[in-house]
């Protein structure tokens, strides 16, 4: 609820800043306003910029606190669940250590940047578009037609990025697990002369992990480039339409400036959503692994009582019970009278 309120306030401040800036520039260029004449507008503009920075800081601080709380709870649940599973059913210790440290730490980008930006991406374009509609329907229609293209391309590229990040995190978990096993068995490996071979294996896995990491970064950079190019072309399309109508005299200068200032603000939250999603993809992959561990069932435990003991029944089966035999006869035991037959 707090993030939504801060997002609405930030969107309203964006519109107010653009309106004040457009009015100040128009007053200086068309009406020859002096410094004293634009002093009130400059004062209000300074106040709006300061409030915008304060709201952005409050949103970031709230998201950071929420991220720390979520990570703390997930880490506690993961370690407690692994301890309850026991050494027989629990995942490898290296995997648990990787998930509890680097894996959950990567969730900061998801909770502190991606989710607040997702709220802004839902609120800011709608409020900006409503302000543009009130002054220029044509430019608002152009923005409304080009805005859905950014989430569409972001979804198409994001599927490939998510798969690449999952592969990277699995390789990292495998590297950590193998390194821990080598360290634990290093005396035995040295006795049999296999320590150098394991060093070569670790180097090979490290090389693969480095290549996958570079491939993931390359995909993230290319996807960000696609989003930037698409938003730049969309703003350019809006600017061309405004310029042609401004030269023709069908559009006032103040309206043209207002639309030109607000148009990039409509695309900016969606672009940042795409960039922050790629930054949080590793944390999402780690969270998926954490929830897969938390969903694993506990091994069946014997009821408390006296220790289990082997027990022969009147059947040919062997039973281990605590409170007496519970095995059904599989076949009646032959009587001694039948032995002489």
């Amino acid at each position: 609820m707090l993030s939504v309120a801060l997002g609405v306030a930030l969107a309203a401040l964006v519109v107010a800043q653009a309106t004040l800036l457009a009015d100040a520039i128009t007053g200086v260029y068309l009406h020859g306003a002096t410094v004293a004449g634009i002093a009130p507008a400059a004062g209000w503009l300074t106040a709006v910029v300061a409030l915008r920075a304060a709201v952005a800081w409050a949103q970031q601080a709230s998201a950071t606190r929420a991220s720390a709380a979520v990570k703390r709870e997930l880490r506690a649940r993961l370690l407690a669940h692994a301890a309850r599973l026991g050494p027989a059913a629990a995942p490898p210790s290296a995997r648990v250590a990787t998930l509890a440290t680097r894996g959950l730490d990567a969730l900061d980008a998801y909770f502190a940047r991606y989710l607040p930006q997702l709220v802004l991406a839902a609120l800011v374009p709608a409020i900006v578009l409503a302000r543009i509609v009130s002054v220029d329907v044509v430019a608002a229609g152009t923005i409304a037609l080009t805005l859905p293209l950014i989430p569409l391309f972001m979804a198409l590229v994001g599927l490939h990025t998510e798969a690449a990040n999952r592969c990277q995190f699995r390789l990292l978990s495998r590297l950590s697990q193998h390194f821990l096993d080598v360290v634990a068995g290093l005396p035995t490996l040295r006795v049999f002369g296999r320590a150098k071979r394991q060093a070569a294996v670790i180097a090979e896995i490290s090389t693969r992990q480095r290549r996958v990491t570079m491939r993931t970064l390359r995909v993230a950079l290319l996807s960000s480039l696609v989003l930037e190019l698409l938003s730049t072309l969309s703003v350019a399309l809006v600017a061309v339409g405004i310029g042609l109508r401004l030269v023709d005299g069908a559009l006032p200068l103040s309206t043209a400036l207002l639309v030109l200032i607000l148009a990039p603000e409509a695309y900016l939250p969606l672009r940042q959503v795409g960039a922050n999603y790629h930054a949080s993809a590793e944390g999402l992959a780690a969270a998926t692994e954490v929830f897969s561990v938390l969903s694993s069932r506990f091994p069946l435990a014997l009821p408390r009582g006296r220790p289990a003991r082997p027990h022969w029944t009147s059947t040919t089966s062997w039973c281990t019970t605590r409170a007496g035999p519970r095995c059904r006869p599989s076949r009646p035991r032959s009587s001694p009278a039948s032995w002489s037959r």
Side-chain angles (χ1 to χ4, degrees):
M1 193 64 182
L2 180 60
S3 296
V4 175
L6 292 175
V8 172
L10 191 61
L13 290 173
V14 167
V15 173
Q17 178 182 342
T19 304
L20 291 171
L21 189 58
D23 291 341
I25 294 175
T26 304
V28 172
Y29 184 77
L30 292 182
H31 307 293
T34 60
V35 176
I38 63 171
W44 282 108
L45 184 61
T46 303
V48 167
V49 171
L51 284 175
R52 185 176 175 182
V55 170
W57 174 84
Q59 190 175 34
Q60 184 69 25
S62 174
T64 302
R65 285 195 299 268
S67 174
V70 171
K71 289 193 306 177
R72 183 169 56 250
E73 181 180 356
L74 281 178
R75 187 174 287 115
R77 289 179 58 187
L78 174 65
L79 297 178
H81 192 83
R84 291 181 63 188
L85 286 175
S93 57
R95 180 187 176 193
V96 175
T98 304
L99 289 175
T101 53
R102 175 171 174 175
L104 291 180
D105 287 339
L107 285 175
D108 282 332
Y110 180 77
F111 287 103
R113 294 200 296 264
Y114 175 71
L115 287 183
Q117 197 61 45
L118 194 62
V119 174
L120 294 180
L123 295 175
V124 173
I127 296 177
V128 169
L129 200 59
R131 180 68 178 94
I132 295 177
V133 166
S134 63
V135 294
D136 190 359
V137 180
V138 177
T142 305
I143 295 174
L145 289 176
T146 54
L147 268 178
L149 296 178
I150 296 180
L152 177 62
F153 280 90
M154 183 175 62
L156 293 176
V157 179
L159 294 176
H160 182 69
T161 306
E162 183 179 2
N165 275 277
R166 286 182 179 178
C167 179
Q168 176 198 2
F169 192 78
R170 288 174 182 172
L171 276 177
L172 179 62
S173 299
R174 179 186 173 190
L175 177 62
S176 302
Q177 179 180 347
H178 190 81
F179 183 76
L180 185 61
D181 292 340
V182 169
V183 171
L186 189 59
T188 306
L189 292 173
R190 293 185 62 184
V191 167
F192 291 96
R194 304 295 296 176
K196 293 184 178 180
R197 171 58 185 166
Q198 293 303 317
V201 172
I202 292 177
E204 180 182 356
I205 299 176
S206 301
T207 302
R208 289 182 56 190
Q209 201 270 340
R210 183 170 61 252
R211 290 175 180 173
V212 171
T213 302
M214 294 304 298
R215 189 185 307 124
T216 304
L217 291 175
R218 186 163 55 248
V219 171
L221 290 175
L222 290 177
S223 61
S224 299
L225 177 62
V226 169
L227 297 180
E228 291 288 340
L229 181 61
L230 186 60
S231 61
T232 301
L233 292 177
S234 301
V235 174
L237 186 61
V238 174
V240 168
I242 291 175
L244 292 177
R245 286 181 292 141
L246 186 63
V247 171
D248 193 45
L251 194 67
L253 179 62
S254 59
T255 303
L257 287 174
L258 178 63
V259 175
L260 282 178
I261 295 172
L262 285 179
E265 297 290 345
Y267 296 99
L268 180 62
L270 294 175
R271 288 158 42 198
Q272 291 182 346
V273 162
N276 291 327
Y277 176 79
H278 295 306
S280 64
E282 183 181 356
L284 291 177
T288 303
E289 297 289 334
V290 169
F291 284 115
S292 67
V293 174
L294 293 177
S295 62
S296 59
R297 297 182 178 180
F298 296 106
L300 295 177
L302 294 174
R304 293 184 179 180
R306 60 178 182 267
R309 67 182 188 278
H311 181 82
W312 283 102
T313 65
S314 59
T315 66
T316 58
S317 60
W318 174 276
C319 298
T320 301
T321 63
R322 290 181 180 270
R326 296 183 182 272
C327 296
R328 295 181 180 179
S330 58
R331 187 180 61 182
R333 178 178 294 181
S334 57
S335 60
S338 62
W339 296 349
S340 60
R341 297 180 185 178

